Amino acid sequence: MDNLHWQLSVLSRAIHYKNLSGAAEHVGLSQPQLSRIISRIEGELDVVLLDRSVRRKSGWTPIAFKIAEIYLQSSRKLSSNLQQLQNEDQISRLTVGCLEGMLNLAAHFCQQLFDHSVIQTFELDVYDLSELETHFEKNELDMIFTFREPGKQKYKFVQNLGYQTFKKHESKATTTRVMSPFEFSHYVNRKKIAKDARFILSNSLAVRKLWVEKYGGIADFPSDVYGKKTDAEGESPVYLIASEFLSSRLWNKMKTFKY
């Protein structure tokens, strides 16, 4: 088992393709070579990585994905630890995820890191809550901006950056309602729609805010982040949570940022 490092690295790349033949074309090995590697892992770990019940169309089993994920997490942790031993200030790339209503805050933090660290590249993406937590728990994101800690795990790097309200905003200039398609379906089931009613449907909170502020209307969207708790209706905390693989020195530097 101690000699499976290379074989597991091959598996971690191969599972991104739906079968053995497709994987072989992309990992730089012939199909017989890849088949022997998979068979060796199966023999060493006493598991089944390929479902061979359909000839020429064998697919990966669930345990194959789990083993590949464990290997990738371990490799990433090793790389991170080695990087910290070498020089904690040499981290040059970070992946950042946030909820849409916290995008301005996340972008501001990235800019401050540009100004106060040697980081050259950020991958900044917006997710809904379930996607954000899934990616973070899989160690696919280095930092997230959210209103709750994912799962039941206690995280080492957590900072409360302030608070945010999610409430109805209304402009008297027009009665146009801006909402998601899901909200609209519930709305029309509860109310009789007037002939002159107008609706803008979008899953984007930015669209809601833009429309109400520029053209007027009625919509629910989050406020900007503010520092002190007010116990306002719909108020929730805003957290910055970082992966345990992030360097302590970089985290301590981020804790001094102003927003």
Side-chain angles (χ1 to χ4, degrees):
M1 184 172 175
D2 292 338
N3 297 320
L4 288 180
H5 177 78
W6 180 71
Q7 287 80 3
L8 290 172
S9 71
V10 172
L11 174 65
S12 69
R13 288 179 286 138
I15 60 158
H16 294 292
Y17 307 94
K18 67 179 183 178
N19 53 42
L20 204 63
S21 59
E25 296 178 9
H26 294 86
V27 299
L29 296 169
S30 67
Q31 186 169 336
Q33 288 175 314
L34 181 56
S35 181
R36 286 194 292 271
I37 289 170
I38 299 304
S39 295
R40 179 179 175 187
I41 299 173
E42 289 178 323
E44 290 278 351
L45 301 183
D46 193 25
V47 295
V48 176
L49 301 178
L50 278 172
D51 180 358
R52 300 175 176 85
S53 58
V54 180
R55 191 177 181 184
R56 297 183 181 276
K57 292 186 178 181
S58 55
W60 303 107
T61 62
I63 192 67
F65 291 99
K66 290 180 181 178
I67 290 174
E69 183 178 335
I70 291 170
Y71 171 80
L72 287 172
Q73 289 180 359
S74 299
S75 295
R76 185 175 180 185
K77 186 171 183 178
L78 175 62
S79 297
S80 177
N81 288 340
L82 290 175
Q83 188 177 46
Q84 288 187 48
L85 286 173
Q86 183 183 23
N87 188 334
E88 287 191 335
D89 284 335
Q90 288 186 358
I91 297 174
S92 61
R93 181 187 179 97
L94 286 178
T95 56
V96 183
C98 68
L99 299 174
E100 187 177 15
M102 301 175 188
L103 179 56
N104 286 340
L105 179 65
H108 179 66
F109 262 74
C110 291
Q111 180 57 52
Q112 291 199 75
L113 280 169
F114 273 143
D115 293 340
H116 298 96
S117 74
V118 297
I119 294 175
Q120 296 178 300
T121 306
F122 286 99
E123 184 176 342
L124 174 58
D125 290 308
V126 175
Y127 301 95
D128 64 29
L129 182 61
S130 61
E131 290 177 322
L132 185 72
E133 294 183 344
T134 296
H135 286 300
F136 188 69
E137 289 175 323
K138 288 183 176 180
N139 292 316
E140 295 170 352
L141 294 171
D142 296 307
M143 298 190 307
I144 60 173
F145 294 81
T146 182
F147 63 79
R148 71 181 188 190
E149 295 185 46
K152 298 180 180 179
Q153 179 179 341
K154 290 297 181 182
Y155 291 94
K156 178 181 178 182
F157 299 128
V158 180
Q159 184 181 2
N160 184 339
L161 300 179
Y163 298 87
Q164 189 176 52
T165 58
F166 191 92
K167 62 182 181 180
K168 180 177 290 186
H169 298 259
E170 186 171 354
S171 166
K172 295 181 180 179
T174 175
T175 58
T176 300
R177 293 185 177 272
V178 191
M179 59 182 67
S180 71
F182 177 78
E183 291 169 327
F184 178 72
S185 66
H186 281 269
Y187 183 85
V188 297
N189 286 334
R190 296 195 319 267
K191 297 179 179 288
K192 184 177 180 180
I193 305 301
K195 291 183 179 180
D196 61 347
R198 293 180 175 182
F199 298 89
I200 295 292
L201 305 185
S202 175
N203 284 322
S204 170
L205 296 177
V207 169
R208 301 186 196 188
K209 183 176 182 181
L210 180 148
W211 192 275
V212 170
E213 292 181 349
K214 189 168 185 177
Y215 303 109
I218 303 169
D220 294 331
F221 56 83
S223 69
D224 292 332
V225 178
Y226 50 88
K228 295 183 179 180
K229 186 175 176 62
T230 65
D231 292 323
E233 183 178 353
E235 185 176 65
S236 61
V238 175
Y239 294 115
L240 167 61
I241 306 175
S243 165
E244 64 179 15
F245 305 136
L246 195 76
S247 76
S248 297
R249 185 180 301 179
L250 185 59
W251 173 255
N252 290 332
K253 184 177 292 184
M254 289 191 295
K255 287 173 67 176
T256 67
F257 290 170
K258 304 296 183 183
Y259 54 92

